[in-house]
Amino acid sequence: MPQRSSRARVESILRIFSSSRKRLSLSAESPVQPQMAQVSPNIAAAAALTGSAKLAAVTDLVEKLSQDLTSNDLSSQERDSALEELKIYGRDPRNADPIFTKEGIEMLTRHAFDSSSSTTSRNALRVLCNTLFLKQETRQMFVNLGYEAKLCEKLKSDNRDDEFLVSRVIFLTTYGTNTDLVELIDKHHLADAINTNLERHAKHRIETSSVTNPMEDMALAETLKLLFNVTHYCKDRTSSFTPAIPHIVTILCKGSFSTQKPLDPPNSSLVHALLNLDIGSEDVQAALYPKDSPNMLANHLIDLLARSTTAYANEELESSITPLVSAIRVIHEQAPADVKNSIRERLLPTEADRTQVLGRTSSLPSWLLKNSTNPIAPQLRDIISNLFFEMSDKDASKFVENVGYGFASGFLFNRNLPVPPNIAEASSTTRGGTDRPVNPVTGQFLDAETQPVGPEMTEAEREREAERLFVLFERLRANGVISAENPVRTAVQEGRFEELPDDYEESD
């Protein structure tokens, strides 16, 4: 498996798409915090140590925990207390070097996966997660120890702390290591463990209206991030995760998550996970478009989008909303005809939108149109334009009718698609069957247009405007931008152009 980039790559992938891709959000990707009901005096003292005193304390703890692996000198309470204290020191790698060595990683790994105590195992896993997150080189040290079988076996545990911690360990090893994801899936059944954990979350969402344990959502988000990365870096085994799609849909549509913004984890992670999976598989169509509620998933995604339009600043749109619009586009592409029509009813401009120039109302279709030309969100604007084109059956004439030539022109030009020959004619074909003619450029009803207020142009002004247009058309023709005949030249050839004498004065 090829080497992957450093911690910066981890953060950038997670931030947008991961993902946005994309990528995924790194909001939960921080050193694991202590899981303690009461802070012991040793822990409080550890948090205050710095410099050489901290280094000496870390060295002593690592040596003591390493010796305990063979001598078993420590009691369970002493061992767990030492790991808790080590976790405090390990949050800041300065003067904590022994934790980040090959020996330190091996000691933590053995306590995490060889201990018979689940408490000791989780305490060691918390330190290990922090260590792998903070220093990339420690990830390969961990992979070299060959604990793949025990790692995947522990992921099968029906415990949310284990799910959270082990998923994070595997997730971090997908960056900067040569870990063999194919082997993890084929030999150690990683896909089965992930699918089973998602099934547990789905059942829990159906049975329980609200989640009281915050570790539920944290474990879910970590599992989904792991799923995204594995399917992104190991595309040949994506089909192994197809059974997870119904569970993701259930969690997404049935779950009620307390988040500050609509696309905070785990909502964002659920959306990202769908993007890499085989939505077109026959085996999952009934889950995506159930007979009793075929629009359920599409409506939920569009509702998420509607809430997101006012929750994010312009500079956040690319990373936050691009994956969601991508998911809606994929769902629309695979959907049966009735679901496609429902999506189009909600996303294409309505008659109310056409009372103004398209893109100027406060509706969701207008928001999409405005962002289809957003200069600081190139991926988002491209996906929105493609979605509108696909909702127009990939027909250029329908596309122009739906969004107006002003929004359609750039898309058609960039893809070398011919401009509809009747573009200059006012159309009366809009969704809803209205017979009101529409301005083909702006998409606004002609009878709703406001006429310009001001004095009529003088003949001299008209002449200057004609000359300006003539020069502009000639430049466009010379550069190959357009192939249409210059209308001013045509007017001259047809005798419809009058040359005014220099002493001409316009009469009142």
Side-chain angles (χ1 to χ4, degrees):
M1 185 176 178
Q3 290 279 327
R4 290 185 278 272
S5 57
S6 64
R7 180 180 173 189
R9 173 65 172 164
V10 180
E11 296 179 350
S12 62
I13 285 288
L14 291 177
R15 190 173 296 115
I16 68 168
F17 205 126
S18 333
S19 90
S20 205
R21 293 190 145 26
K22 80 46 287 106
R23 301 85 246 291
L24 291 172
S25 169
L26 196 61
S27 58
E29 193 58 51
S30 57
V32 179
Q33 299 301 311
Q35 306 291 318
M36 298 173 60
Q38 185 174 1
V39 179
S40 69
N42 286 349
I43 301 301
L49 280 183
T50 59
S52 59
K54 175 183 173 181
L55 179 60
V58 170
T59 302
D60 180 63
L61 282 171
V62 171
E63 289 178 353
K64 182 165 63 175
L65 287 166
S66 298
Q67 292 172 4
D68 181 62
L69 290 168
T70 55
S71 64
N72 201 28
D73 290 336
L74 300 176
S75 67
S76 296
Q77 184 176 358
E78 289 173 332
R79 188 179 299 114
D80 293 337
S81 178
L83 287 167
E84 287 279 5
E85 188 176 347
L86 195 64
K87 179 173 62 179
I88 301 300
Y89 292 128
R91 290 181 188 166
D92 184 348
R94 291 174 295 182
N95 300 299
D97 298 339
I99 300 176
F100 301 90
T101 62
K102 179 181 178 181
E103 293 74 20
I105 297 301
E106 182 175 2
M107 177 272 293
L108 292 171
T109 301
R110 291 178 62 183
H111 278 298
F113 297 101
D114 294 339
S115 175
S116 59
S117 167
S118 59
T119 302
T120 298
S121 172
R122 289 166 195 153
N123 284 333
L125 275 170
R126 291 185 184 104
V127 187
L128 185 62
C129 284
N130 290 349
T131 304
L132 300 183
F133 173 73
L134 291 171
K135 288 204 174 183
Q136 178 192 341
E137 59 270 25
T138 60
R139 300 170 201 163
Q140 187 61 53
M141 295 177 192
F142 171 78
V143 171
N144 291 341
L145 294 174
Y147 271 72
E148 293 87 352
K150 291 187 176 182
L151 192 64
C152 292
E153 186 63 31
K154 197 167 189 65
L155 188 60
K156 298 175 185 177
S157 168
D158 189 6
N159 179 277
R160 302 291 73 79
D161 288 274
D162 287 341
E163 178 187 356
F164 172 83
L165 293 166
V166 177
S167 293
R168 177 168 287 194
V169 168
I170 303 175
F171 170 81
L172 289 170
T173 61
T174 63
Y175 296 100
T177 78
N178 61 359
T179 188
D180 191 338
L181 293 177
V182 172
E183 181 178 302
L184 290 181
I185 295 169
D186 293 350
K187 183 177 179 180
H188 303 299
H189 311 292
L190 174 63
D192 294 339
I194 291 175
N195 294 340
T196 298
N197 281 332
L198 289 173
E199 182 180 12
R200 289 172 180 145
H201 285 286
K203 287 181 177 179
H204 185 74
R205 292 290 167 178
I206 293 174
E207 297 169 357
T208 308
S209 58
S210 61
V211 175
T212 57
N213 180 9
M215 187 54 68
E216 284 280 345
D217 287 352
M218 293 173 65
L220 171 61
E222 211 65 32
T223 294
L224 291 167
K225 289 194 293 184
L226 174 60
L227 169 61
F228 177 87
N229 265 31
V230 173
T231 52
H232 177 64
Y233 287 122
C234 191
K235 293 180 173 61
D236 291 342
R237 295 296 186 274
T238 298
S239 60
S240 300
F241 299 90
T242 301
I245 294 176
H247 309 316
I248 293 172
V249 172
T250 298
I251 298 167
L252 189 58
C253 296
K254 302 292 186 182
S256 178
F257 305 108
S258 299
T259 58
Q260 290 185 343
K261 292 186 176 182
L263 292 175
D264 283 349
N267 280 329
S268 59
S269 304
L270 287 161
V271 171
H272 297 153
L274 284 174
L275 292 172
N276 287 348
L277 300 178
D278 184 9
I279 300 298
S281 172
E282 288 295 328
D283 297 334
V284 298
Q285 296 309 295
L288 293 170
Y289 316 105
K291 288 185 178 180
D292 59 339
S293 183
N295 299 318
M296 178 180 66
L297 176 59
N299 282 340
H300 185 82
L301 293 175
I302 294 173
D303 289 342
L304 265 180
L305 177 61
R307 296 201 305 272
S308 300
T309 58
T310 57
Y312 297 93
N314 199 33
E315 57 272 14
E316 297 177 292
L317 298 181
E318 183 85 323
S319 61
S320 299
I321 298 186
T322 301
L324 177 56
V325 179
S326 297
I328 294 172
R329 181 185 172 196
V330 172
I331 295 299
H332 172 269
E333 181 182 6
Q334 301 293 337
D338 55 339
V339 178
K340 282 187 177 180
N341 287 332
S342 175
I343 294 173
R344 295 176 185 188
E345 288 291 338
R346 296 194 63 182
L347 297 184
L348 287 175
T350 64
E351 289 191 27
D353 291 314
R354 294 183 184 277
T355 59
Q356 301 183 43
V357 173
L358 286 183
R360 293 189 180 178
T361 68
S362 59
S363 69
L364 180 57
S366 288
W367 184 91
L368 287 168
L369 284 171
K370 284 183 285 189
N371 282 284
S372 70
T373 57
N374 191 329
I376 67 171
Q379 292 184 34
L380 177 61
R381 72 180 185 231
D382 185 62
I383 288 172
I384 291 175
S385 295
N386 276 286
L387 175 59
F388 274 125
F389 188 62
E390 289 160 8
M391 289 193 295
S392 305
D393 298 321
K394 298 183 179 180
D395 182 289
S397 295
K398 289 183 181 179
F399 184 45
V400 172
E401 289 173 2
N402 282 332
V403 304
Y405 186 67
F407 285 108
S409 57
F411 179 89
L412 297 175
F413 176 76
N414 290 333
R415 285 155 184 77
N416 294 318
L417 296 172
V419 175
N422 59 343
I423 183 62
E425 301 174 7
S427 170
S428 60
T429 305
T430 60
R431 291 187 63 83
T434 181
D435 292 329
R436 296 168 67 184
V438 172
N439 185 316
V441 176
T442 66
Q444 184 180 14
F445 288 128
L446 289 180
D447 57 19
E449 291 182 333
T450 56
Q451 299 302 319
V453 178
E456 287 280 335
M457 293 176 67
T458 65
E459 289 298 331
E461 288 172 335
R462 291 193 183 100
E463 182 179 3
R464 288 195 297 271
E465 185 67 14
E467 290 174 351
R468 189 183 69 82
L469 290 174
F470 182 87
V471 172
L472 177 61
F473 262 91
E474 289 302 303
R475 287 176 180 173
L476 291 174
R477 280 169 53 84
N479 292 331
V481 175
I482 61 172
S483 58
E485 184 62 44
N486 190 327
V488 180
R489 184 185 296 278
T490 301
V492 172
Q493 293 172 349
E494 294 178 354
R496 295 186 288 108
F497 189 89
E498 180 185 0
E499 185 73 28
L500 297 177
D502 292 339
D503 60 351
Y504 173 82
E505 291 185 4
E506 188 173 6
S507 59
D508 293 334

